[in-house]
Protein backbone atom coordinates (compact mmCIF):
# COMPACT_ATOMS: atom_id res chain seq x y z
CA UNK A 1 0.00 0.00 0.00
CA UNK A 2 1.47 3.32 -1.10
CA UNK A 3 1.87 5.79 1.78
CA UNK A 4 -0.56 8.70 1.58
CA UNK A 5 0.66 12.05 2.88
CA UNK A 6 -1.90 14.31 4.53
CA UNK A 7 -1.78 18.00 5.29
CA UNK A 8 -4.68 19.34 7.33
CA UNK A 9 -6.65 22.42 6.34
CA UNK A 10 -7.67 22.59 10.04
CA UNK A 11 -11.35 22.39 9.22
CA UNK A 12 -12.05 20.02 12.10
CA UNK A 13 -9.23 20.35 14.62
CA UNK A 14 -6.89 23.16 15.58
CA UNK A 15 -3.93 20.75 15.59
CA UNK A 16 -1.86 20.01 12.50
CA UNK A 17 -1.49 16.36 11.52
CA UNK A 18 2.08 16.40 12.90
CA UNK A 19 0.82 17.76 16.24
CA UNK A 20 -1.94 15.15 16.38
CA UNK A 21 0.58 12.38 15.61
CA UNK A 22 2.87 13.70 18.38
CA UNK A 23 -0.06 13.81 20.81
CA UNK A 24 -0.88 10.17 20.10
CA UNK A 25 2.79 9.20 20.41
CA UNK A 26 2.85 10.74 23.90
CA UNK A 27 -0.50 9.28 24.93
CA UNK A 28 0.08 5.58 24.30
CA UNK A 29 2.62 2.79 24.13
CA UNK A 30 4.86 2.58 21.07
CA UNK A 31 3.07 -0.60 19.93
CA UNK A 32 -0.35 1.08 20.12
CA UNK A 33 1.02 4.20 18.38
CA UNK A 34 2.32 2.14 15.45
CA UNK A 35 -1.09 0.45 15.20
CA UNK A 36 -2.75 3.88 15.02
CA UNK A 37 -0.44 4.94 12.16
CA UNK A 38 -1.26 1.74 10.25
CA UNK A 39 -4.98 2.28 10.78
CA UNK A 40 -4.62 5.82 9.45
CA UNK A 41 -2.87 4.66 6.28
CA UNK A 42 -5.44 1.90 5.72
CA UNK A 43 -8.29 4.35 6.35
CA UNK A 44 -6.82 6.94 3.96
CA UNK A 45 -6.48 4.30 1.26
CA UNK A 46 -10.15 3.37 1.71
CA UNK A 47 -11.26 7.02 1.89
CA UNK A 48 -9.48 7.71 -1.39
CA UNK A 49 -11.06 4.64 -2.96
CA UNK A 50 -14.58 5.53 -1.84
CA UNK A 51 -14.25 9.33 -2.19
CA UNK A 52 -14.74 10.11 1.52
CA UNK A 53 -13.31 13.22 3.25
CA UNK A 54 -9.67 12.27 3.88
CA UNK A 55 -8.98 14.87 6.55
CA UNK A 56 -11.94 13.63 8.63
CA UNK A 57 -10.77 10.06 8.16
CA UNK A 58 -7.19 10.89 9.15
CA UNK A 59 -8.25 12.69 12.36
CA UNK A 60 -10.61 9.86 13.33
CA UNK A 61 -8.03 7.16 12.59
CA UNK A 62 -5.24 8.85 14.54
CA UNK A 63 -7.52 9.56 17.52
CA UNK A 64 -9.52 6.31 17.57
CA UNK A 65 -7.46 4.72 20.37
CA UNK A 66 -6.72 7.94 22.29
CA UNK A 67 -8.28 6.52 25.47
CA UNK A 68 -7.29 2.86 24.93
CA UNK A 69 -4.54 2.77 27.55
CA UNK A 70 -6.11 5.11 30.11
CA UNK A 71 -6.60 3.58 33.57
CA UNK A 72 -9.95 1.88 34.08
CA UNK A 73 -10.75 4.15 37.04
CA UNK A 74 -10.27 7.27 34.91
CA UNK A 75 -12.53 5.90 32.17
CA UNK A 76 -15.15 4.82 34.68
CA UNK A 77 -15.21 8.29 36.23
CA UNK A 78 -15.62 9.91 32.80
CA UNK A 79 -18.47 7.58 31.84
CA UNK A 80 -20.30 8.69 35.00
CA UNK A 81 -19.39 12.41 34.92
CA UNK A 82 -20.17 12.77 31.20
CA UNK A 83 -23.49 10.91 31.48
CA UNK A 84 -22.48 8.26 28.95
CA UNK A 85 -24.47 5.04 28.77
CA UNK A 86 -24.06 3.64 32.27
CA UNK A 87 -24.74 0.06 31.19
CA UNK A 88 -21.22 0.23 29.69
CA UNK A 89 -19.87 -0.06 33.23
CA UNK A 90 -20.85 -3.75 33.26
CA UNK A 91 -18.38 -4.33 30.43
CA UNK A 92 -14.63 -3.80 30.08
CA UNK A 93 -12.37 -1.06 28.79
CA UNK A 94 -12.51 -2.49 25.27
CA UNK A 95 -16.10 -1.18 25.15
CA UNK A 96 -15.32 2.03 27.07
CA UNK A 97 -12.33 3.44 25.22
CA UNK A 98 -14.18 4.49 22.05
CA UNK A 99 -16.89 6.61 23.71
CA UNK A 100 -14.41 7.93 26.30
CA UNK A 101 -11.88 8.81 23.57
CA UNK A 102 -14.54 10.79 21.69
CA UNK A 103 -15.40 12.74 24.87
CA UNK A 104 -11.72 13.46 25.60
CA UNK A 105 -11.04 14.70 22.06
CA UNK A 106 -14.10 16.96 22.26
CA UNK A 107 -13.28 18.32 25.74
CA UNK A 108 -9.51 18.67 25.40
CA UNK A 109 -9.12 19.64 21.73
CA UNK A 110 -12.53 21.12 20.84
CA UNK A 111 -13.18 18.44 18.23
CA UNK A 112 -16.82 19.09 17.31
CA UNK A 113 -17.33 17.27 14.01
CA UNK A 114 -20.11 14.71 14.53
CA UNK A 115 -18.84 12.24 11.91
CA UNK A 116 -15.32 12.13 13.39
CA UNK A 117 -16.64 11.79 16.94
CA UNK A 118 -19.01 9.01 15.84
CA UNK A 119 -16.11 7.17 14.18
CA UNK A 120 -13.97 7.34 17.33
CA UNK A 121 -16.90 6.35 19.54
CA UNK A 122 -18.08 3.38 17.48
CA UNK A 123 -14.86 1.92 16.07
CA UNK A 124 -14.92 -1.19 18.29
CA UNK A 125 -18.56 -2.31 18.38
CA UNK A 126 -19.96 -0.24 15.55
CA UNK A 127 -23.47 1.18 15.67
CA UNK A 128 -26.66 0.62 13.68
CA UNK A 129 -26.34 4.01 11.98
CA UNK A 130 -22.63 4.35 11.17
CA UNK A 131 -21.90 6.97 8.54
CA UNK A 132 -19.17 6.58 5.95
CA UNK A 133 -16.32 7.94 8.11
CA UNK A 134 -17.26 5.58 10.96
CA UNK A 135 -17.51 2.65 8.53
CA UNK A 136 -14.01 3.42 7.22
CA UNK A 137 -12.47 3.46 10.72
CA UNK A 138 -14.37 0.31 11.78
CA UNK A 139 -13.04 -1.52 8.72
CA UNK A 140 -9.49 -0.07 8.81
CA UNK A 141 -9.06 -1.02 12.48
CA UNK A 142 -10.00 -4.61 11.60
CA UNK A 143 -7.89 -5.02 8.45
CA UNK A 144 -4.75 -2.94 9.07
CA UNK A 145 -1.64 -4.77 7.76
CA UNK A 146 -0.49 -6.35 11.04
CA UNK A 147 -3.86 -7.97 11.77
CA UNK A 148 -3.72 -11.74 11.31
CA UNK A 149 -6.96 -13.03 12.85
CA UNK A 150 -9.29 -15.49 11.13
CA UNK A 151 -11.27 -13.87 8.33
CA UNK A 152 -9.05 -10.82 7.89
CA UNK A 153 -7.94 -11.73 4.35
CA UNK A 154 -11.55 -12.04 3.21
CA UNK A 155 -12.33 -8.69 4.87
CA UNK A 156 -9.41 -7.09 2.99
CA UNK A 157 -10.68 -8.43 -0.32
CA UNK A 158 -14.22 -7.24 0.40
CA UNK A 159 -12.95 -3.79 1.40
CA UNK A 160 -11.62 -3.33 -2.14
CA UNK A 161 -15.13 -3.73 -3.57
CA UNK A 162 -17.90 -2.84 -1.14
CA UNK A 163 -17.68 -0.95 2.15
CA UNK A 164 -21.14 -1.91 3.41
CA UNK A 165 -20.58 -5.62 2.73
CA UNK A 166 -17.25 -5.37 4.57
CA UNK A 167 -18.91 -3.80 7.63
CA UNK A 168 -21.50 -6.58 7.54
CA UNK A 169 -18.84 -9.30 7.27
CA UNK A 170 -16.68 -7.85 10.07
CA UNK A 171 -19.71 -7.51 12.36
CA UNK A 172 -20.68 -11.15 11.69
CA UNK A 173 -17.12 -12.35 12.38
CA UNK A 174 -16.87 -10.33 15.60
CA UNK A 175 -20.14 -11.66 17.02
CA UNK A 176 -19.23 -15.20 15.98
CA UNK A 177 -15.90 -14.85 17.82
CA UNK A 178 -17.55 -13.51 20.99
CA UNK A 179 -20.17 -16.29 21.03
CA UNK A 180 -17.55 -18.98 20.42
CA UNK A 181 -15.53 -17.69 23.39
CA UNK A 182 -18.73 -17.40 25.46
CA UNK A 183 -17.93 -13.74 26.15
CA UNK A 184 -20.49 -11.36 27.58
CA UNK A 185 -21.83 -9.37 24.62
CA UNK A 186 -22.54 -5.66 24.92
CA UNK A 187 -26.14 -5.04 23.74
CA UNK A 188 -25.01 -2.30 21.31
CA UNK A 189 -22.92 -4.92 19.49
CA UNK A 190 -26.09 -6.96 18.97
CA UNK A 191 -27.85 -3.83 17.64
CA UNK A 192 -24.97 -3.38 15.18
CA UNK A 193 -25.33 -7.02 14.13
CA UNK A 194 -29.09 -6.68 13.61
CA UNK A 195 -28.65 -3.53 11.50
CA UNK A 196 -25.66 -4.53 9.38
CA UNK A 197 -25.95 -8.32 9.10
CA UNK A 198 -29.62 -9.22 9.46
CA UNK A 199 -30.88 -6.20 7.48
CA UNK A 200 -28.21 -6.33 4.74
Amino acid sequence: MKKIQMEYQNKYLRLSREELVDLMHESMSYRRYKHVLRVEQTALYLADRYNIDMEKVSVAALAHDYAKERPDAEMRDLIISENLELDMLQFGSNIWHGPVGAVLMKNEYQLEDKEILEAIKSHTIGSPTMGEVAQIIYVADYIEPKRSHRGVDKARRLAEKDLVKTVSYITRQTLKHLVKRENKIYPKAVETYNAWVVDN
Side-chain angles (χ1 to χ4, degrees):
M1 195 188 304
K2 184 182 165 194
K3 189 166 186 198
I4 299 173
Q5 301 291 342
M6 271 299 301
E7 194 168 320
Y8 291 175
Q9 304 303 309
N10 297 104
K11 292 187 277 187
Y12 311 114
L13 196 63
R14 66 168 192 251
L15 302 175
S16 68
R17 181 187 174 277
E18 291 71 25
E19 288 169 329
L20 183 57
V21 167
D22 288 345
L23 171 66
M24 295 307 146
H25 199 179
E26 292 161 11
S27 304
M28 56 188 65
S29 64
Y30 184 71
R31 181 172 162 270
R32 176 67 39 193
Y33 165 70
K34 295 299 280 185
H35 159 73
V36 161
L37 293 182
R38 291 192 301 271
V39 170
E40 185 208 21
Q41 282 301 306
T42 306
L44 285 172
Y45 172 79
L46 294 172
D48 186 44
R49 188 167 190 81
Y50 292 103
N51 197 27
I52 295 165
D53 188 313
M54 293 177 79
E55 186 170 339
K56 283 191 184 193
V57 163
S58 173
V59 172
L62 289 172
H64 82 279
D65 271 350
Y66 182 47
K68 179 80 174 179
E69 295 175 339
R70 300 287 176 116
D72 281 4
E74 182 186 336
M75 286 202 264
R76 202 176 286 113
D77 288 348
L78 261 167
I79 289 166
I80 294 165
S81 68
E82 293 288 335
N83 267 332
L84 301 181
E85 290 158 10
L86 294 180
D87 60 343
M88 269 196 289
L89 294 172
Q90 300 168 48
F91 298 84
S93 60
N94 201 43
I95 300 295
W96 304 345
H97 77 274
V100 169
V103 165
L104 289 173
M105 287 302 297
K106 184 174 183 179
N107 291 353
E108 295 174 4
Y109 299 98
Q110 292 71 58
L111 178 61
E112 298 289 343
D113 185 85
K114 287 184 170 59
E115 289 183 289
I116 300 173
L117 291 171
E118 177 200 29
I120 296 168
K121 179 181 176 181
S122 64
H123 76 270
T124 300
I125 57 156
S127 84
T129 56
M130 280 186 285
E132 289 179 326
V133 176
Q135 291 173 47
I136 290 275
I137 304 307
Y138 184 74
V139 170
D141 190 33
Y142 190 89
I143 69 168
E144 63 98 332
K146 291 276 186 175
R147 297 293 200 196
S148 58
H149 44 73
R150 183 189 294 269
V152 72
D153 289 332
K154 182 173 179 180
R156 288 179 182 131
R157 289 193 298 274
L158 274 173
E160 294 283 341
K161 299 173 192 164
D162 190 313
L163 196 56
V164 169
K165 283 184 179 166
T166 313
V167 170
S168 176
Y169 175 75
I170 288 170
T171 303
R172 188 184 305 114
Q173 289 297 109
T174 301
L175 262 289
K176 202 187 286 184
H177 174 73
L178 292 171
V179 169
K180 190 175 179 183
R181 293 182 65 180
E182 298 184 353
N183 285 2
K184 194 174 181 183
I185 299 174
Y186 185 46
K188 290 277 183 205
V190 178
E191 288 177 25
T192 302
Y193 177 87
N194 288 340
W196 290 93
V197 179
V198 178
D199 294 343
N200 276 298

